[in-house]
Amino acid sequence: MQIRNALPSDAAAIANLHALNWRLGYRGMLSDDYLDHEVLAERMAVWQERMQADDAEQYVVVAEEDGRLLGFACAYGDADAEWGSYLDNLHVDPDFKGRNIGVKLMAEVAAWCRNTHPGRGLFLWVLEENRQARRFYDRMGGVKADEEMWSPPGGGNVPTLRYVWRDVDILLQRAAQ
């Protein structure tokens, strides 16, 4: 397995994995109509735009093996004055969970944050009902900081939790264990 910077040509594979994970993981949290009929096109538009953007503060990495996308992460450097950089996406192919791909992707993002924005933290939002992801972030040393309602594509309101790493070295230490 290798981790590398994402390329514009990765947009479709990233969007497909993103849509798949939302369909599997967010059923009952997001609208069924959105997940069944709109998520792929909507995620495709998002990733086409992101991968064409010339944004020095956007960092997208992929994990791949034999040309197959195993996972990806997307972060925005120093996105919040209080919390630091924002990990907007972390997704691993369900067929490859349990191989520490998420850990390696988070470590890659943490190292980028440390190098590009020294002394700043990292944060993310996770759906409150996404217990599997929350257990992972707890193991990685994340601390729940606050709650907010998210208005997802497809409508509705979903409770989310902010997880923070005030010091990304804590995340790097957890990833090395």
Side-chain angles (χ1 to χ4, degrees):
M1 181 188 72
Q2 71 168 351
I3 295 179
R4 64 169 173 79
N5 290 341
L7 303 169
S9 59
D10 294 316
I14 290 171
N16 276 301
L17 178 54
H18 200 166
L20 172 67
N21 279 355
W22 277 21
R23 282 184 183 131
L24 295 175
Y26 292 176
R27 186 75 56 187
M29 295 175 239
L30 303 186
S31 92
D32 286 345
D33 187 58
Y34 168 74
L35 293 173
D36 292 339
H37 304 291
E38 300 172 34
V39 68
L40 181 57
E42 191 267 335
R43 293 290 90 192
M44 195 68 72
V46 165
W47 284 105
Q48 290 293 337
E49 180 179 328
R50 285 183 181 185
M51 297 310 297
Q52 297 301 320
D54 185 20
D55 183 351
E57 294 298 336
Q58 177 181 276
Y59 182 63
V60 184
V61 291
V62 298
E64 69 178 5
E65 188 172 77
D66 299 326
R68 180 175 177 174
L69 179 72
L70 306 181
F72 70 92
C74 175
Y76 293 93
D78 209 22
D80 187 276
E82 181 177 357
W83 305 107
S85 298
Y86 173 44
L87 179 59
D88 185 38
N89 297 107
L90 175 67
H91 289 275
V92 173
D93 185 314
D95 292 339
F96 293 91
K97 286 194 175 180
R99 290 183 44 187
N100 287 327
I101 296 165
V103 171
K104 292 173 183 170
L105 287 166
M106 283 198 79
E108 188 71 27
V109 167
W112 176 80
C113 291
R114 183 180 61 195
N115 293 336
T116 58
H117 300 287
R120 301 287 289 141
L122 177 68
F123 75 99
L124 59 82
W125 289 100
V126 61
L127 299 187
E128 185 176 46
E129 289 186 44
N130 191 345
R131 287 173 181 76
Q132 182 179 18
R134 290 175 51 198
R135 282 191 300 274
F136 173 72
Y137 299 135
D138 288 337
R139 283 195 315 271
M140 297 302 293
V143 176
K144 288 177 270 198
D146 57 15
E147 301 175 20
E148 191 173 276
M149 292 302 284
W150 174 50
S151 297
N157 287 301
V158 180
T160 61
L161 303 172
R162 184 192 314 255
Y163 271 72
V164 300
W165 291 262
R166 293 273 188 190
D167 181 350
V168 295
D169 285 336
I170 292 168
L171 179 52
L172 289 166
Q173 291 166 4
R174 292 287 176 101
Q177 294 177 346

mmCIF file of all heavy atoms in Angstrom, residues 97-129:
data_model
loop_
_atom_site.group_PDB
_atom_site.id
_atom_site.type_symbol
_atom_site.label_atom_id
_atom_site.label_comp_id
_atom_site.label_asym_id
_atom_site.label_seq_id
_atom_site.Cartn_x
_atom_site.Cartn_y
_atom_site.Cartn_z
ATOM 1 N N LYS A 97 -11.183 -2.356 5.617
ATOM 2 C CA LYS A 97 -11.127 -1.885 7.006
ATOM 3 C C LYS A 97 -10.382 -2.915 7.847
ATOM 4 O O LYS A 97 -10.369 -4.102 7.541
ATOM 5 C CB LYS A 97 -12.543 -1.644 7.539
ATOM 6 C CG LYS A 97 -13.136 -0.387 6.944
ATOM 7 C CD LYS A 97 -14.356 0.081 7.672
ATOM 8 C CE LYS A 97 -14.782 1.410 7.057
ATOM 9 N NZ LYS A 97 -15.942 1.956 7.687
ATOM 10 N N GLY A 98 -9.752 -2.432 8.901
ATOM 11 C CA GLY A 98 -8.983 -3.305 9.776
ATOM 12 C C GLY A 98 -7.527 -3.429 9.375
ATOM 13 O O GLY A 98 -6.774 -4.177 10.003
ATOM 14 N N ARG A 99 -7.108 -2.697 8.354
ATOM 15 C CA ARG A 99 -5.706 -2.744 7.908
ATOM 16 C C ARG A 99 -4.943 -1.465 8.277
ATOM 17 O O ARG A 99 -3.892 -1.203 7.734
ATOM 18 C CB ARG A 99 -5.644 -2.958 6.393
ATOM 19 C CG ARG A 99 -6.095 -4.345 5.974
ATOM 20 C CD ARG A 99 -5.969 -4.600 4.495
ATOM 21 N NE ARG A 99 -4.719 -4.140 3.913
ATOM 22 C CZ ARG A 99 -4.457 -4.143 2.612
ATOM 23 N NH1 ARG A 99 -5.365 -4.585 1.764
ATOM 24 N NH2 ARG A 99 -3.320 -3.697 2.148
ATOM 25 N N ASN A 100 -5.492 -0.679 9.187
ATOM 26 C CA ASN A 100 -4.870 0.570 9.657
ATOM 27 C C ASN A 100 -4.735 1.633 8.580
ATOM 28 O O ASN A 100 -3.912 2.549 8.700
ATOM 29 C CB ASN A 100 -3.510 0.313 10.308
ATOM 30 C CG ASN A 100 -3.654 -0.326 11.669
ATOM 31 O OD1 ASN A 100 -4.610 -0.057 12.391
ATOM 32 N ND2 ASN A 100 -2.714 -1.184 12.002
ATOM 33 N N ILE A 101 -5.556 1.554 7.550
ATOM 34 C CA ILE A 101 -5.504 2.550 6.480
ATOM 35 C C ILE A 101 -5.951 3.909 7.009
ATOM 36 O O ILE A 101 -5.307 4.928 6.732
ATOM 37 C CB ILE A 101 -6.350 2.091 5.280
ATOM 38 C CG1 ILE A 101 -5.749 0.820 4.678
ATOM 39 C CG2 ILE A 101 -6.465 3.202 4.233
ATOM 40 C CD1 ILE A 101 -6.647 0.072 3.729
ATOM 41 N N GLY A 102 -7.013 3.928 7.799
ATOM 42 C CA GLY A 102 -7.478 5.181 8.385
ATOM 43 C C GLY A 102 -6.420 5.805 9.287
ATOM 44 O O GLY A 102 -6.219 7.023 9.278
ATOM 45 N N VAL A 103 -5.741 4.976 10.064
ATOM 46 C CA VAL A 103 -4.672 5.451 10.947
ATOM 47 C C VAL A 103 -3.569 6.102 10.115
ATOM 48 O O VAL A 103 -3.089 7.197 10.431
ATOM 49 C CB VAL A 103 -4.100 4.294 11.797
ATOM 50 C CG1 VAL A 103 -2.849 4.725 12.549
ATOM 51 C CG2 VAL A 103 -5.158 3.754 12.749
ATOM 52 N N LYS A 104 -3.174 5.435 9.046
ATOM 53 C CA LYS A 104 -2.084 5.956 8.201
ATOM 54 C C LYS A 104 -2.491 7.246 7.501
ATOM 55 O O LYS A 104 -1.686 8.178 7.385
ATOM 56 C CB LYS A 104 -1.651 4.893 7.198
ATOM 57 C CG LYS A 104 -0.965 3.726 7.876
ATOM 58 C CD LYS A 104 -0.687 2.586 6.928
ATOM 59 C CE LYS A 104 -0.073 1.427 7.707
ATOM 60 N NZ LYS A 104 0.020 0.206 6.933
ATOM 61 N N LEU A 105 -3.731 7.321 7.049
ATOM 62 C CA LEU A 105 -4.195 8.550 6.410
ATOM 63 C C LEU A 105 -4.259 9.699 7.419
ATOM 64 O O LEU A 105 -3.852 10.827 7.107
ATOM 65 C CB LEU A 105 -5.563 8.330 5.762
ATOM 66 C CG LEU A 105 -5.561 7.482 4.492
ATOM 67 C CD1 LEU A 105 -6.981 7.051 4.133
ATOM 68 C CD2 LEU A 105 -4.907 8.223 3.336
ATOM 69 N N MET A 106 -4.739 9.419 8.629
ATOM 70 C CA MET A 106 -4.780 10.467 9.652
ATOM 71 C C MET A 106 -3.376 10.923 10.020
ATOM 72 O O MET A 106 -3.135 12.116 10.229
ATOM 73 C CB MET A 106 -5.528 9.998 10.891
ATOM 74 C CG MET A 106 -7.028 10.007 10.691
ATOM 75 S SD MET A 106 -7.936 9.959 12.243
ATOM 76 C CE MET A 106 -7.800 11.664 12.760
ATOM 77 N N ALA A 107 -2.445 9.993 10.101
ATOM 78 C CA ALA A 107 -1.058 10.359 10.408
ATOM 79 C C ALA A 107 -0.476 11.239 9.306
ATOM 80 O O ALA A 107 0.248 12.208 9.581
ATOM 81 C CB ALA A 107 -0.206 9.103 10.609
ATOM 82 N N GLU A 108 -0.802 10.922 8.075
ATOM 83 C CA GLU A 108 -0.327 11.733 6.944
ATOM 84 C C GLU A 108 -0.873 13.151 7.033
ATOM 85 O O GLU A 108 -0.145 14.132 6.831
ATOM 86 C CB GLU A 108 -0.747 11.067 5.636
ATOM 87 C CG GLU A 108 -0.163 11.685 4.404
ATOM 88 C CD GLU A 108 1.323 11.426 4.240
ATOM 89 O OE1 GLU A 108 1.838 10.407 4.743
ATOM 90 O OE2 GLU A 108 1.990 12.263 3.586
ATOM 91 N N VAL A 109 -2.147 13.281 7.357
ATOM 92 C CA VAL A 109 -2.757 14.610 7.509
ATOM 93 C C VAL A 109 -2.142 15.340 8.695
ATOM 94 O O VAL A 109 -1.821 16.534 8.602
ATOM 95 C CB VAL A 109 -4.294 14.488 7.653
ATOM 96 C CG1 VAL A 109 -4.903 15.805 8.119
ATOM 97 C CG2 VAL A 109 -4.920 14.037 6.338
ATOM 98 N N ALA A 110 -1.943 14.642 9.812
ATOM 99 C CA ALA A 110 -1.352 15.273 10.994
ATOM 100 C C ALA A 110 0.062 15.777 10.703
ATOM 101 O O ALA A 110 0.436 16.880 11.122
ATOM 102 C CB ALA A 110 -1.348 14.302 12.169
ATOM 103 N N ALA A 111 0.839 14.990 9.978
ATOM 104 C CA ALA A 111 2.200 15.415 9.626
ATOM 105 C C ALA A 111 2.157 16.651 8.727
ATOM 106 O O ALA A 111 2.951 17.589 8.889
ATOM 107 C CB ALA A 111 2.955 14.269 8.946
ATOM 108 N N TRP A 112 1.233 16.660 7.779
ATOM 109 C CA TRP A 112 1.074 17.838 6.908
ATOM 110 C C TRP A 112 0.699 19.059 7.733
ATOM 111 O O TRP A 112 1.256 20.142 7.551
ATOM 112 C CB TRP A 112 0.017 17.551 5.838
ATOM 113 C CG TRP A 112 -0.291 18.722 4.970
ATOM 114 C CD1 TRP A 112 0.439 19.177 3.905
ATOM 115 C CD2 TRP A 112 -1.437 19.580 5.065
ATOM 116 N NE1 TRP A 112 -0.170 20.279 3.341
ATOM 117 C CE2 TRP A 112 -1.332 20.544 4.034
ATOM 118 C CE3 TRP A 112 -2.535 19.629 5.907
ATOM 119 C CZ2 TRP A 112 -2.280 21.539 3.835
ATOM 120 C CZ3 TRP A 112 -3.492 20.621 5.713
ATOM 121 C CH2 TRP A 112 -3.352 21.561 4.681
ATOM 122 N N CYS A 113 -0.229 18.890 8.667
ATOM 123 C CA CYS A 113 -0.636 20.003 9.531
ATOM 124 C C CYS A 113 0.549 20.523 10.338
ATOM 125 O O CYS A 113 0.756 21.736 10.447
ATOM 126 C CB CYS A 113 -1.753 19.572 10.479
ATOM 127 S SG CYS A 113 -3.328 19.250 9.677
ATOM 128 N N ARG A 114 1.316 19.616 10.927
ATOM 129 C CA ARG A 114 2.475 20.017 11.732
ATOM 130 C C ARG A 114 3.490 20.787 10.891
ATOM 131 O O ARG A 114 4.058 21.774 11.333
ATOM 132 C CB ARG A 114 3.124 18.793 12.361
ATOM 133 C CG ARG A 114 4.299 19.167 13.288
ATOM 134 C CD ARG A 114 4.953 17.986 13.914
ATOM 135 N NE ARG A 114 5.488 17.136 12.860
ATOM 136 C CZ ARG A 114 5.873 15.889 13.040
ATOM 137 N NH1 ARG A 114 5.781 15.330 14.217
ATOM 138 N NH2 ARG A 114 6.348 15.183 12.049
ATOM 139 N N ASN A 115 3.692 20.336 9.655
ATOM 140 C CA ASN A 115 4.683 20.975 8.789
ATOM 141 C C ASN A 115 4.206 22.296 8.204
ATOM 142 O O ASN A 115 5.002 23.211 8.010
ATOM 143 C CB ASN A 115 5.081 20.027 7.651
ATOM 144 C CG ASN A 115 5.833 18.818 8.159
ATOM 145 O OD1 ASN A 115 6.446 18.845 9.219
ATOM 146 N ND2 ASN A 115 5.770 17.734 7.412
ATOM 147 N N THR A 116 2.926 22.394 7.887
ATOM 148 C CA THR A 116 2.428 23.601 7.222
ATOM 149 C C THR A 116 1.877 24.636 8.200
ATOM 150 O O THR A 116 1.871 25.832 7.878
ATOM 151 C CB THR A 116 1.338 23.264 6.183
ATOM 152 O OG1 THR A 116 0.267 22.583 6.831
ATOM 153 C CG2 THR A 116 1.900 22.408 5.052
ATOM 154 N N HIS A 117 1.416 24.180 9.354
ATOM 155 C CA HIS A 117 0.840 25.087 10.353
ATOM 156 C C HIS A 117 1.309 24.665 11.747
ATOM 157 O O HIS A 117 0.509 24.200 12.564
ATOM 158 C CB HIS A 117 -0.692 25.086 10.263
ATOM 159 C CG HIS A 117 -1.185 25.529 8.926
ATOM 160 N ND1 HIS A 117 -1.139 26.839 8.518
ATOM 161 C CD2 HIS A 117 -1.705 24.832 7.886
ATOM 162 C CE1 HIS A 117 -1.623 26.939 7.292
ATOM 163 N NE2 HIS A 117 -1.965 25.728 6.884
ATOM 164 N N PRO A 118 2.613 24.820 12.007
ATOM 165 C CA PRO A 118 3.154 24.361 13.294
ATOM 166 C C PRO A 118 2.441 25.023 14.475
ATOM 167 O O PRO A 118 2.093 26.198 14.435
ATOM 168 C CB PRO A 118 4.624 24.777 13.252
ATOM 169 C CG PRO A 118 4.874 25.410 11.936
ATOM 170 C CD PRO A 118 3.596 25.486 11.172
ATOM 171 N N GLY A 119 2.230 24.210 15.505
ATOM 172 C CA GLY A 119 1.617 24.715 16.719
ATOM 173 C C GLY A 119 0.097 24.828 16.667
ATOM 174 O O GLY A 119 -0.528 25.242 17.642
ATOM 175 N N ARG A 120 -0.485 24.464 15.560
ATOM 176 C CA ARG A 120 -1.942 24.542 15.395
ATOM 177 C C ARG A 120 -2.535 23.140 15.509
ATOM 178 O O ARG A 120 -1.873 22.151 15.227
ATOM 179 C CB ARG A 120 -2.296 25.158 14.039
ATOM 180 C CG ARG A 120 -1.735 26.552 13.831
ATOM 181 C CD ARG A 120 -2.445 27.607 14.653
ATOM 182 N NE ARG A 120 -3.757 27.780 14.068
ATOM 183 C CZ ARG A 120 -4.871 27.964 14.775
ATOM 184 N NH1 ARG A 120 -4.842 28.015 16.071
ATOM 185 N NH2 ARG A 120 -6.028 28.101 14.171
ATOM 186 N N GLY A 121 -3.794 23.066 15.874
ATOM 187 C CA GLY A 121 -4.464 21.795 16.057
ATOM 188 C C GLY A 121 -5.153 21.291 14.801
ATOM 189 O O GLY A 121 -4.995 21.842 13.705
ATOM 190 N N LEU A 122 -5.924 20.245 14.996
ATOM 191 C CA LEU A 122 -6.702 19.614 13.936
ATOM 192 C C LEU A 122 -8.071 19.279 14.523
ATOM 193 O O LEU A 122 -8.180 18.897 15.685
ATOM 194 C CB LEU A 122 -6.010 18.324 13.470
ATOM 195 C CG LEU A 122 -6.717 17.484 12.408
ATOM 196 C CD1 LEU A 122 -6.751 18.209 11.068
ATOM 197 C CD2 LEU A 122 -6.031 16.128 12.257
ATOM 198 N N PHE A 123 -9.116 19.434 13.711
ATOM 199 C CA PHE A 123 -10.457 19.080 14.170
ATOM 200 C C PHE A 123 -11.242 18.467 13.025
ATOM 201 O O PHE A 123 -10.867 18.573 11.857
ATOM 202 C CB PHE A 123 -11.191 20.300 14.744
ATOM 203 C CG PHE A 123 -11.704 21.275 13.714
ATOM 204 C CD1 PHE A 123 -13.032 21.253 13.306
ATOM 205 C CD2 PHE A 123 -10.855 22.220 13.147
ATOM 206 C CE1 PHE A 123 -13.502 22.152 12.357
ATOM 207 C CE2 PHE A 123 -11.320 23.129 12.213
ATOM 208 C CZ PHE A 123 -12.646 23.097 11.810
ATOM 209 N N LEU A 124 -12.343 17.816 13.391
ATOM 210 C CA LEU A 124 -13.262 17.247 12.413
ATOM 211 C C LEU A 124 -14.650 17.223 13.011
ATOM 212 O O LEU A 124 -14.828 17.417 14.219
ATOM 213 C CB LEU A 124 -12.824 15.828 12.001
ATOM 214 C CG LEU A 124 -12.703 14.769 13.103
ATOM 215 C CD1 LEU A 124 -14.042 14.149 13.456
ATOM 216 C CD2 LEU A 124 -11.731 13.696 12.683
ATOM 217 N N TRP A 125 -15.627 17.005 12.163
ATOM 218 C CA TRP A 125 -17.016 16.794 12.591
ATOM 219 C C TRP A 125 -17.385 15.355 12.248
ATOM 220 O O TRP A 125 -17.066 14.862 11.169
ATOM 221 C CB TRP A 125 -17.962 17.749 11.866
ATOM 222 C CG TRP A 125 -17.824 19.159 12.323
ATOM 223 C CD1 TRP A 125 -17.131 20.164 11.705
ATOM 224 C CD2 TRP A 125 -18.380 19.744 13.501
ATOM 225 N NE1 TRP A 125 -17.219 21.315 12.422
ATOM 226 C CE2 TRP A 125 -17.993 21.092 13.533
ATOM 227 C CE3 TRP A 125 -19.175 19.258 14.534
ATOM 228 C CZ2 TRP A 125 -18.363 21.957 14.553
ATOM 229 C CZ3 TRP A 125 -19.550 20.117 15.543
ATOM 230 C CH2 TRP A 125 -19.146 21.450 15.554
ATOM 231 N N VAL A 126 -18.075 14.694 13.160
ATOM 232 C CA VAL A 126 -18.531 13.325 12.940
ATOM 233 C C VAL A 126 -20.004 13.251 13.343
ATOM 234 O O VAL A 126 -20.421 13.902 14.303
ATOM 235 C CB VAL A 126 -17.670 12.312 13.739
ATOM 236 C CG1 VAL A 126 -17.750 12.561 15.237
ATOM 237 C CG2 VAL A 126 -18.050 10.870 13.413
ATOM 238 N N LEU A 127 -20.770 12.481 12.605
ATOM 239 C CA LEU A 127 -22.171 12.307 12.962
ATOM 240 C C LEU A 127 -22.249 11.626 14.331
ATOM 241 O O LEU A 127 -21.553 10.642 14.586
ATOM 242 C CB LEU A 127 -22.903 11.460 11.922
ATOM 243 C CG LEU A 127 -22.948 12.004 10.493
ATOM 244 C CD1 LEU A 127 -23.853 11.139 9.637
ATOM 245 C CD2 LEU A 127 -23.374 13.446 10.439
ATOM 246 N N GLU A 128 -23.099 12.153 15.180
ATOM 247 C CA GLU A 128 -23.239 11.624 16.536
ATOM 248 C C GLU A 128 -23.565 10.126 16.518
ATOM 249 O O GLU A 128 -23.059 9.362 17.341
ATOM 250 C CB GLU A 128 -24.322 12.400 17.276
ATOM 251 C CG GLU A 128 -24.473 12.004 18.726
ATOM 252 C CD GLU A 128 -25.492 12.853 19.445
ATOM 253 O OE1 GLU A 128 -26.593 13.079 18.888
ATOM 254 O OE2 GLU A 128 -25.186 13.302 20.557
ATOM 255 N N GLU A 129 -24.393 9.706 15.573
ATOM 256 C CA GLU A 129 -24.790 8.290 15.503
ATOM 257 C C GLU A 129 -23.715 7.386 14.884
ATOM 258 O O GLU A 129 -23.860 6.158 14.919
ATOM 259 C CB GLU A 129 -26.078 8.147 14.705
ATOM 260 C CG GLU A 129 -27.291 8.682 15.426
ATOM 261 C CD GLU A 129 -28.572 8.389 14.662
ATOM 262 O OE1 GLU A 129 -28.736 7.255 14.165
ATOM 263 O OE2 GLU A 129 -29.398 9.310 14.552
#
